Amino acid sequence: MSRICELTGKGRQVGNNVSHANNKTKRVFLPNLQNVTLLSEKLDRSFKFRVSTQGLRSVEHNGGLDNWLLKTKDEKLSARALKVKRELKKAAAAPAA
């Protein structure tokens, strides 16, 4: 399973371990991913995502999963998150019609 946040698109970064003698060896910095269940208020159901801790803070800061998905660009979202976003847009359009 790839180490990429499903909501923010945050992935691994590459850098160097630097020793006291200034020897440099390649290393990988992985995001802190957590399996979380987020509740959609508009759809009245929960969804499981693999989210970075910073992404989780961003979702809470923006007022929950619904607001986050509607304001985030599609390129950053995973396929599962895009599916939920489409459901949200469909649910928002249904009562207006």
Side-chain angles (χ1 to χ4, degrees):
M1 183 175 269
S2 63
R3 302 283 298 180
I4 297 176
C5 175
E6 291 189 275
L7 297 182
T8 61
K10 178 180 279 205
R12 67 184 198 140
Q13 291 184 316
V14 178
N16 288 311
N17 280 330
V18 181
S19 70
H20 187 65
N22 207 28
N23 297 328
K24 295 175 182 71
T25 56
K26 285 290 187 185
R27 64 155 296 172
V28 176
F29 295 92
L30 297 174
N32 183 7
L33 295 179
Q34 305 295 323
N35 293 316
V36 295
T37 302
L38 298 172
L39 181 67
S40 170
E41 295 170 0
K42 292 179 184 171
L43 298 176
D44 197 31
R45 55 182 281 222
S46 59
F47 298 94
K48 288 187 177 184
F49 290 109
R50 196 156 188 235
V51 183
S52 65
T53 52
Q54 186 62 47
L56 192 57
R57 290 183 66 198
S58 298
V59 169
E60 293 300 320
H61 179 77
N62 283 285
L65 179 64
D66 298 343
N67 291 340
W68 173 261
L69 288 174
L70 293 175
K71 80 168 215 49
T72 305
K73 294 180 183 175
D74 290 352
E75 300 89 53
K76 286 189 171 185
L77 299 174
S78 69
R80 288 173 52 207
L82 278 172
K83 184 177 177 185
V84 176
K85 184 175 182 175
R86 282 193 298 272
E87 287 182 37
L88 277 171
K89 287 184 177 179
K90 191 182 294 184

